[in-house]
Every structure is written in C-alpha cells, then in structure tokens.
C-alpha cells in the first residue's frame, strides 16, 4: 500500500457549501485543500434567504454576527408564494426570522470564516477527473492549462448541480425533469407594489417580489400562460409582459440587469457517498428555489458531514478500523439523504400549488392559504420544516427520523437550541458561546442540575473525549423551558449540535 496522502480532504468547489465544510475541517486541524474553478467569486446572487437553522449553525461557530448586523430580518415567510405568511416569530429558536441577504454576501462571509479557520480557496483550478484507490482518491486538477494530480484520503464534491465529482464517481442524479420555467430577474421598479402586494396571485399566475437593500428588486413570476413553454430562456421583455399579464402593470419596470431562467426539475444523487467520495449541497440535490432552501439544505449537509469526516480522518491517522470510517460516513447518507428528500417533497408540494391553473388552481390556493391563516398548528408545522429546525436524526435511544412520529423524549435527535445556562458562582452563559469555544469535531456532554459524571453513568460514555459542560439550571429562553431542555439530567450533543442521547436524573 502507498503512503497516506499529505492532503486529508480535498474539497471541490468553494460555493457556500464547500466553504462551510472546509472551515469546519480546518478548524479541527484536518489538512484540507479547497479548489475552485472560478477565478473570482460570482458578484451576482442567486439566492437571498438564510433560514433559522442555518443561522444557528453559523452562530455556534461565531460566523453569524456579521450577517445579522448587515442584513434585514423578516419574521414571516411564505409557503408556495401564498399571501398567508408562515409565522417564524413563534419558532423555538434564537433566530425566529429569516435573513434576507444576497448570496454573494453570505459567500463572502463564509470565505472569510474559512480564512479565519486557517483555510484558503485555490481559485482557477477545475477538477476534471476523480479516481479512487484503496486508501486515497486522486483528482486531476486543471490549472493554467496544465494538469496536476492531487491525492487525498477523501474528496468532497461541493461542485454544484453539474458536479464533475458526482459524474466521474458514476453516481446517478435522479428525479423529475423540468416541466415549467420561471424567471428570476434583478430589476429597477420605478413604481413598485406596496409590501403587502410583494406576493400576489390570481387565475393568471403568481408574482413574487424581493426588495434589495440597494433599492432594486428581484422579481419572479409563475406565469400560467407561458410557464410550460420550455423552448426558450426568459428575457427582459418577457418579464415585462408577464408582470402585465398577472398584475395589470409593469410596476415601472426600468433597467433589467439580469434575467435567470429557472426550471422545476427536482433531482437527488442516488448516493451521497461512494467509498472515499462524498457529495454535499447542489452536487447532491437540486430543486426549484421555492422558499429559498437549496443553500440552507447544503450547509446543513456540510455541517453533518464535517464532524463525521473529522472523526474518520482521525480514526485513519490512528490506524483505526475501516468499520469505524464506514459507520461514520454511511451515517451521513443515512441522515442527510432523507432530509433532502423531505425538502424536495415540500418543494414539489409548493410547485403543485403554484402551477395549478385556472379557477381550480386559484381556489386550491385560497383554501390552502385559509388553512395556514386559520390553523396555527399547521402554520407552525410548515414554519418548522422550512426553517430547518424540524430536522431530527434517529438515535440509538429512539429510532425515528420524523419529528411528528412517536418520540419518547422530544430532545432526542433534535438540534440543541441556544440555551441560557446557570452555573455555580459564574454569570449565566449561552450554550452556543461555549460551543464556539469548544469548536468543531467534539461531542459535548451537557449536564443540568447534577454531577458531571457518576450518577448518570457518563464515565461509561463511548465518546470519552466529549467536552463536559455543567449547569446548575437552564433558565431560558422561555420556549426552551417549554420544550423540556431544563430537565435535570444530561444530553450528549454531537458536534453538529444534534442530541445523540438524553438521560433524566
Ligand atoms: C434563482 C435562485 C434563487 C435561489 N435562492 C435561494 C435562497 O434564497 N436560499 C437558498 O438557500 N438557496 C437558494 N438558491 C439555491 C442556492 O443558490 C444553491 O443551492 C447554492 O448555491 C448551492 O451551493 P453549493 O455550494 O452547493 O453550490 P454552488 O453555489 O453552485 O457552488 C459550486 C462551486 O463549485 C465550483 N465548481 C464547479 N465545478 C467545479 C470543478 N469541476 N472544479 C472546481 N470547482 C468547481 C463552481 O464554480 C462553484 O463556485 C437559489 C437558486 C436560484 C437559481
């Protein structure tokens, strides 16, 4: 067998997902190389929405503050572009809102975070091939017209929807093809609609408007008259015609800087892992950007994958068993592929609503909006799903991954929120501040109202390098107490913030 490669993880693609996985790995001391095909980061933004669970993840690593300071928070969001909003303000999180932030800005913040964690993006380097050997992967990287071989223990394909890593690993991308096209246009509106008309629909279709901090707007329509014409991309003139068709006005459409054409294909990688090759983000799943979920889903993939890769690399460094590595990395697919499936399903449901035509479609949307407006429990359920905080993973104690099923302890498998901890003789502290200090790659055993070990058998825990946090009590926030996070006992928190085990004194 050849000697182990110097680079432990090669991350292909420095979009938001690649930057996040690389930052986690670098902060944990893994030797990482990040290669990116583009010479410069894209100046334009595809997306705008950062969801609550993603903000929690960023906050638990100290990366949320610059975004929160710079961008607008919205306490409500939409399902299927409906005017009845999902109420995020009641969500049990410290971030009960979405953040409206151009993706280019999110990417800049994440690259800066990666740099602070000790990593850098090597630009102008395109991976054109990936080959697996027994103990490594060898990637061919094209740079300045020359090709170079890069060996690494693992390769993570964060190279977007047309992933070369996925294709060369022979992993299929399956699902449903485009059946409709829609525009996303960056425009000037001299006579914009009032905020309560940013989302509007009728028998002609739907309009969706996002105001940007610089005074411009992103405008999108689901235009029933032309949406199924897949023969040509959207143009500025088509956007104007569509606005008039749906709303009766073009809202003073001025300069149109860019028009993207978006399809509703929904595809998912058949496997998220093939040996030493892993996929995350758009390389693993794509769907219509309804609800602004793709980047969020991808960052949550990255957060799950990173701690598993850190543990896998450490295990190989120590000459550990291949079974350990397999268990860790198969767990990534076992948890994140279903999470992706659930998002794709929600997007399909939303597309079904918005694309239903004529009087039947309009009535269906009115009925669904009434459900969201009149039934807070339904509204909450959808808000939890879109926000990302509903995700829970099966645990050894309780093996069900859907948060609506029978669960003996609702904390099991769920993500731990930012609890306010009381400690003897010390000022109260927020859990996420402690997680920041502990950093990526470590389990945390949080004990509340009792001893750090002994009484609960914590010393027998297999995660014997878990950081121990003790609190005399959990005193807030109020919603955390409602959700039983103040129960005296202990929880074992995985490095991605999900609860692996919960015990009550
Ligand atoms: C109109 C629109 C609006 C959207 N709105 C939202 C939103 O509001 N919220 C949200 O969460 N999501 C949104 N999305 C989805 C979001 O943009 C994507 O899910 C997100 O960019 C995926 O991130 P990624 O890092 O996986 O891939 P990408 O952002 O695509 O990054 C992949 C990177 O890999 C590089 N690369 C590709 N091939 C190679 C190679 N062979 N070698 C080296 N580098 C390579 C690329 O240059 C690129 O930089 C939207 C999408 C669209 C189209």
């Amino acid at each position: 067998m050849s000697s182990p490669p110097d680079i432990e993880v090669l991350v292909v693609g420095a979009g938001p997902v690649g930057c996040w996985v690389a930052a986690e790995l670098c902060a944990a001391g893994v030797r990482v190389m990040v290669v990116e095909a583009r010479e410069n980061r894209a100046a334009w933004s595809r997306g705008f929405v950062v969801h609550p669970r993603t903000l929690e993840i960023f906050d638990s690593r100290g990366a949320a503050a610059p975004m929160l300071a710079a961008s607008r928070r919205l306490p409500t969001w939409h399902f299927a572009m409906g005017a009845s909003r999902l109420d995020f303000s009641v969500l049990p999180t410290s971030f009960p809102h979405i953040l409206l932030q151009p993706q280019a800005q999110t990417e800049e913040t994440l690259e800066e975070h990666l740099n602070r964690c000790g990593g850098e993006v090597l630009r102008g380097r395109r991976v054109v091939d990936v080959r697996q050997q027994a103990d490594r992967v060898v990637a061919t990287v094209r740079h300045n017209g020359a090709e170079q071989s890069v060996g690494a223990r693992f390769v993570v394909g964060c190279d977007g929807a047309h992933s070369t890593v996925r294709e060369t690993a022979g992993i299929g991308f399956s699902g449903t093809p485009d059946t409709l096209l829609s525009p996303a246009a960056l425009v000037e509106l001299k006579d914009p609609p009032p905020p309560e008309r940013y989302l509007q629909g009728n028998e002609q279709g739907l309009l969706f408007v996002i105001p940007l901090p610089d005074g411009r707007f992103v405008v999108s329509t689901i235009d029933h008259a032309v949406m199924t014409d897949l023969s040509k991309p959207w143009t500025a003139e088509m956007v104007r015609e569509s606005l008039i068709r749906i709303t009766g006005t073009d809202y003073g459409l001025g300069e149109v800087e860019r028009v993207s054409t978006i399809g509703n294909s929904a595809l998912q990688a058949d496997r998220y892992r093939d040996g030493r090759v892993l996929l995350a983000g758009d390389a693993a799943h794509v769907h219509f950007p309804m609800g602004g979920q793709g980047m969020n889903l991808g960052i949550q993939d990255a957060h799950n994958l990173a701690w598993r890769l850190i543990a896998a690399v450490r295990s190989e460094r120590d000459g550990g068993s291949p079974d350990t590595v397999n268990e860790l990395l198969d767990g990534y697919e076992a948890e994140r592929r279903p999470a992706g499936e659930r998002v794709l399903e929600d997007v399909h449901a939303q597309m079904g609503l918005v694309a239903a035509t004529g009087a039947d479609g309009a009535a269906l949307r009115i009925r669904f909006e009434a459900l969201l407006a009149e039934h807070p429990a339904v509204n909450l359920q959808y808000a939890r799903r879109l926000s990302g905080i509903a995700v829970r993973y099966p645990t050894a104690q309780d093996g069900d991954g859907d948060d609506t099923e029978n669960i003996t302890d609702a904390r099991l498998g769920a993500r731990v929120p930012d609890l306010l901890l009381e400690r003897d003789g010390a000022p109260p502290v927020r859990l996420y501040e402690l997680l920041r200090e502990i950093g990526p790659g470590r389990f945390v055993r949080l004990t509340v109202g009792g001893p750090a070990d002994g009484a609960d058998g914590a010393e027998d825990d297999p995660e014997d390098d878990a950081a121990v946090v003790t609190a005399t009590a959990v005193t807030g926030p109020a919603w955390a107490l409602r959700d039983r996070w103040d129960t005296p006992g202990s929880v074992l928190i995985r490095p991605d913030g999900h609860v692996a085990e919960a015990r009550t004194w």
Side-chain angles (χ1 to χ4, degrees):
M1 202 193 314
S2 48
S3 61
D6 191 42
I7 296 164
E8 290 171 317
V9 179
L10 174 67
V11 176
V12 183
V17 175
C19 282
W20 191 256
V21 78
E24 289 283 290
L25 296 169
C26 287
V30 174
R31 292 191 298 276
V32 177
M33 179 187 271
V34 187
V35 291
E36 164 57 49
R38 287 201 187 105
E39 291 289 352
N40 299 297
R41 206 176 318 110
W44 52 272
S45 292
R46 275 183 278 175
F48 295 89
V49 180
V50 187
H51 275 289
R53 176 58 192 148
T54 310
L55 288 170
E56 288 183 341
I57 287 172
F58 291 162
D59 191 43
S60 69
R61 299 292 185 252
M67 302 183 190
L68 292 163
S71 299
R72 237 178 99 213
R73 303 166 196 204
L74 288 188
T76 62
W77 194 228
H78 72 92
F79 187 86
M81 293 160 94
S84 290
R85 306 291 289 240
L86 299 177
D87 185 4
F88 276 35
S89 72
V90 296
L91 288 174
T93 167
S94 302
F95 303 103
H97 53 76
I98 61 153
L99 205 65
L100 267 191
Q101 168 163 275
Q103 188 171 322
Q105 210 173 314
T106 308
E107 290 178 11
E108 189 178 332
T109 307
L110 296 185
E111 190 172 337
E112 285 166 6
H113 176 69
L114 168 62
N115 295 153
R116 275 195 303 277
C117 292
E120 66 166 328
V121 177
L122 302 177
R123 296 192 173 277
R125 290 163 173 84
R126 176 176 291 279
V127 166
V128 293
D129 191 28
V130 170
R131 302 272 150 194
Q132 297 205 48
Q133 299 173 0
D135 64 341
R136 67 175 66 195
V137 190
V138 178
T140 307
V141 182
R142 193 168 290 154
H143 175 50
N144 285 338
E147 288 190 352
Q148 180 199 356
S149 290
V150 175
R153 286 184 195 271
F154 300 100
V155 167
V156 187
C158 305
D159 50 344
H162 305 287
S163 170
T164 303
V165 175
R166 186 186 65 233
E167 279 166 24
T168 55
I171 300 175
F173 207 33
S174 311
T176 54
D178 285 342
T179 55
L180 68 79
L181 297 181
S182 160
L186 177 59
V187 304
E188 176 193 13
L189 294 179
K190 296 186 182 108
D191 184 19
E196 64 275 15
R197 302 286 290 160
Y198 284 167
L199 285 168
Q200 49 178 297
N202 53 41
E203 291 183 20
Q204 309 304 318
L206 295 102
L207 168 70
F208 182 49
V209 175
I210 298 183
L212 299 184
D214 64 7
R216 290 182 299 171
F217 295 85
V218 173
V219 167
S220 184
T221 64
I222 301 284
D223 188 332
H224 292 168
V226 295
M227 66 185 178
T228 54
D229 178 359
L230 308 182
S231 65
K232 51 183 181 293
W234 278 76
T235 63
E237 196 42 42
M238 286 165 69
V239 171
R240 181 189 307 281
E241 290 165 7
S242 182
L243 281 172
I244 293 171
R245 212 163 18 240
I246 294 171
T247 70
T249 168
D250 69 359
Y251 289 117
L253 184 69
E255 191 194 341
V256 177
E257 186 180 314
R258 185 169 51 83
V259 183
S260 307
T261 301
I262 318 160
N264 66 336
S265 59
L267 304 169
Q268 202 173 14
D270 296 344
R271 284 163 287 135
Y272 280 23
R273 175 189 182 207
D274 184 277
R276 294 177 171 275
V277 173
L278 298 124
L279 301 175
D282 276 16
H285 41 72
V286 291
H287 55 77
F288 192 88
M290 186 66 80
Q293 295 179 85
M295 178 190 75
N296 288 276
L297 182 65
I299 285 170
Q300 290 157 35
D301 291 342
H303 207 56
N304 184 303
L305 175 58
W307 74 264
R308 296 172 174 284
L309 265 178
I310 292 165
V313 165
R314 287 178 179 160
S315 171
E316 289 201 346
R317 278 182 198 162
D318 297 343
S321 147
D323 293 347
T324 306
V325 171
N326 286 333
E327 193 181 327
L328 282 161
L329 300 184
D330 287 344
Y332 167 63
E333 168 162 326
E335 292 184 344
R336 291 308 300 171
R337 205 169 179 285
E341 268 168 22
R342 281 194 284 273
V343 169
L344 259 61
E345 212 175 87
D346 279 352
V347 172
H348 272 303
Q350 295 187 71
M351 297 311 290
L353 276 167
V354 297
T357 56
D360 292 350
L364 181 64
R365 289 187 286 278
I366 288 168
R367 286 285 176 274
F368 192 80
E369 289 195 20
L371 267 180
L372 292 182
E374 292 162 16
H375 299 278
V378 177
N379 193 303
L380 178 64
Q381 170 74 357
Y382 282 90
R384 282 174 55 81
R385 287 178 77 105
L386 242 75
S387 67
I389 66 165
V391 172
R392 66 178 295 276
Y393 302 126
T395 68
Q397 265 178 280
D398 185 328
D400 198 312
D402 187 324
D403 81 324
T404 59
E405 300 286 330
N406 280 342
I407 300 157
T408 52
D409 183 330
R411 298 170 303 173
L412 276 174
R415 100 296 178 223
V416 66
D418 190 12
L419 305 173
L420 188 61
L421 306 178
E422 286 282 340
R423 296 185 301 169
D424 271 340
V429 64
R430 295 209 162 272
L431 175 62
Y432 282 15
E433 281 172 18
L434 299 176
L435 295 184
R436 264 176 232 171
E437 283 166 26
I438 292 163
R442 282 197 79 183
F443 280 66
V444 177
R445 179 167 289 284
L446 168 66
T447 67
V448 177
D453 54 20
D456 71 334
E459 77 275 20
D460 296 326
D461 197 286
E463 306 302 334
D464 50 12
D465 72 338
V468 174
V469 170
T470 56
T472 47
V474 172
T475 58
W479 42 259
L481 308 188
R482 199 182 59 222
D483 290 348
R484 293 188 52 214
W485 289 99
D486 58 338
T487 308
S490 79
V491 286
L492 183 65
I493 306 168
R494 303 190 327 189
D496 62 353
H498 283 260
V499 173
E501 185 188 289
R503 298 176 193 178
T504 303
W505 298 138

